[in-house]
Amino acid sequence: MNSKATSKTTSDISAVMAALEAAGTAQNRKVYARHGAAEPMFGVSYAELGKIAKPIRTDHALARRLWDTGNHDARVLALRVADPAALDESLARRWLRDVDNYILAEGLGGLCAQTRHARALSDAWRDDPSEWPASVGWFIVTCSAEDPGIWSVGELRALVRQIEAELDGRPNRVRHEMNGALIVIALRDGNLRRSVLAAAERIGPVEVDHGQTGCKTPEVAVYVERTLAHREAKAARQAAKATRRAG
């Protein structure tokens, strides 16, 4: 935890809330509402959230206070400045009870994936019949599937079989997160990639209602190919840079 940030901001949540309010816009509130966010919220862009979060860095006590305001933007900021090392299962479960949209679901899932409880929380939530717990559970998979310390290849292969068997019957946003998990599982290694691509072909297009937004659920094979190409190009640039430095 950053002690300087803690001493500066924990006792001054009112200043952080004032900064969030000043950064909010009516247009962003309309946009976020279309994505499922509910009042109270200020409508702070991600760029402005980043500016507010930067000097705070990590402040878990502040994150808890921000979450407890019930304000959507404050909760998004809370998930950015919370300390993964300090997030225990009890607090993660308490925050999950407040999640009511995919923005917070993915934010919480991303935070949980950085903790030592990632696997336990994903296991506890993936099969929940409700939309948001299951969404968070599957998003943890998306964020951690390439980590061999959390998932073995055999366990990921079992998740691929589960996704193929269950995806069509799961709630709306859970289908989107399952689809995302397939993409990242495919990036783990070549054998898993072949299993995922075969399963994705059998599954076919994944239907997700994104409401009045321009969001789309990506096609697994296309997105996997694009990501691999991007990684190869990045590796080539880094190799070329290293060669120039050596020269």
Side-chain angles (χ1 to χ4, degrees):
M1 183 178 296
N2 184 286
S3 58
K4 290 183 179 180
T6 301
S7 62
K8 180 180 178 181
T9 60
T10 298
S11 61
D12 198 14
I13 187 174
S14 59
V16 177
M17 292 299 292
L20 287 170
E21 184 173 13
T25 69
Q27 178 59 32
N28 281 337
R29 288 194 292 275
K30 292 179 182 178
V31 171
Y32 293 160
R34 290 198 293 270
H35 286 268
E39 297 284 354
M41 64 175 161
F42 299 129
V44 184
S45 71
Y46 284 174
E48 291 300 319
L49 274 169
K51 293 177 184 178
I52 294 170
K54 186 174 181 179
I56 298 172
R57 299 178 68 181
T58 300
D59 188 334
H60 200 66
L62 176 63
R64 296 184 68 143
R65 296 181 70 185
L66 286 167
W67 189 273
D68 288 344
T69 66
N71 180 282
H72 173 77
D73 302 285
R75 285 179 167 172
V76 174
L77 180 60
L79 295 169
R80 290 194 178 200
V81 303
D83 184 357
L87 185 74
D88 57 30
E89 291 190 44
S90 175
L91 182 59
R93 293 173 191 275
R94 183 165 73 80
W95 282 3
L96 176 64
R97 290 196 293 270
D98 296 325
V99 169
D100 59 1
N101 62 76
Y102 83 85
I103 300 170
L104 294 180
E106 292 190 348
L108 181 58
L111 175 62
C112 290
Q114 301 174 60
T115 75
R116 64 185 182 278
H117 312 293
R119 178 61 186 272
L121 293 173
S122 181
D123 287 349
W125 295 340
R126 287 194 312 276
D127 297 331
D128 195 292
S130 299
E131 184 169 26
W132 303 122
S135 293
V136 177
W138 281 105
F139 195 69
I140 293 173
V141 177
T142 298
C143 294
S144 61
E146 293 187 89
D147 186 343
I150 298 178
W151 304 97
S152 70
V153 169
E155 289 166 338
L156 292 176
R157 200 177 299 281
L159 291 183
V160 173
R161 291 194 295 268
Q162 181 184 358
I163 292 170
E164 182 177 0
E166 298 180 5
L167 187 146
D168 284 345
R170 299 303 295 274
N172 186 61
R173 192 69 197 186
V174 181
R175 296 197 298 276
H176 180 84
E177 305 304 355
M178 283 178 148
N179 188 79
L182 281 178
I183 291 170
V184 182
I185 291 171
L187 299 174
R188 174 72 175 265
D189 69 29
N191 289 330
L192 276 171
R193 183 151 53 252
R194 285 186 285 273
S195 295
V196 167
L197 294 179
E201 186 172 359
R202 291 189 294 268
I203 291 169
V206 177
E207 299 295 332
V208 175
D209 182 2
H210 291 279
Q212 298 178 332
T213 74
C215 297
K216 296 180 180 180
T217 296
E219 183 180 339
V220 171
V222 172
Y223 204 88
V224 168
E225 181 179 0
R226 187 177 302 162
T227 302
L228 290 173
H230 173 76
R231 290 184 177 184
E232 289 175 4
K234 182 178 180 180
R237 289 194 300 270
Q238 290 174 337
K241 187 175 181 180
T243 299
R244 289 194 299 271
R245 285 180 176 176

